[in-house]
Amino acid sequence: ELEEFLNFKQLKTPLKEVILLDYNTAGFWWAKEMNFSLIQLSGFMDLLNFLLENLSEKRMTLGKNLKELGRPMAGIGETDSERSGDLNFFNIEQAKAIIDYL
């Protein structure tokens, strides 16, 4: 619909693919500017993909998606390994920056 509205009649690449490329490229460069390590960069890109899947495939609302974001980020900065989440390789400041970015 957006292609029609914007009168994009001669696109060589489908608009959906262009949007996904832009989404991932923007996230990648933001993470690089944050000087994330390779494992942090990989974790951040996984997080972007996780949130996008929640929106596109599971049709989650923004509120539910933000709740889901809390699960992998739970325990960042905790020293107790039982309480730390999937993204425990980020520190608290990085976690705050990620939330701000999202």
Side-chain angles (χ1 to χ4, degrees):
E1 290 178 18
L2 188 57
E3 287 174 283
E4 279 182 40
F5 178 76
L6 296 173
N7 201 24
F8 289 161
K9 294 180 180 178
Q10 297 182 3
L11 287 178
K12 294 185 183 197
T13 305
L15 190 57
K16 183 177 180 181
E17 289 181 26
V18 172
I19 291 168
L20 289 174
L21 178 63
D22 184 56
Y23 173 79
N24 285 294
T25 301
F28 176 82
W29 283 111
W30 179 83
K32 287 292 285 180
E33 288 174 1
M34 291 293 296
N35 293 316
F36 285 171
S37 69
L38 187 56
I39 192 162
Q40 289 171 326
L41 182 61
S42 177
F44 178 72
M45 296 307 292
D46 284 345
L47 184 60
L48 286 181
N49 187 52
F50 169 75
L51 296 173
L52 186 62
E53 283 180 4
N54 285 346
L55 290 172
S56 63
E57 294 175 15
K58 297 179 183 177
R59 303 278 190 221
M60 279 188 185
T61 63
L62 179 60
K64 285 183 181 178
N65 211 353
L66 289 174
K67 266 187 171 178
E68 283 294 309
L69 174 63
R71 231 177 357 110
M73 296 190 83
I76 289 177
E78 296 281 334
T79 55
D80 183 2
S81 61
E82 287 182 24
R83 293 195 55 195
S84 70
D86 297 338
L87 301 173
N88 59 358
F89 40 78
F90 290 112
N91 64 39
I92 293 171
E93 292 305 314
Q94 290 168 326
K96 287 178 185 178
I98 290 169
I99 291 168
D100 287 344
Y101 176 80
L102 297 172

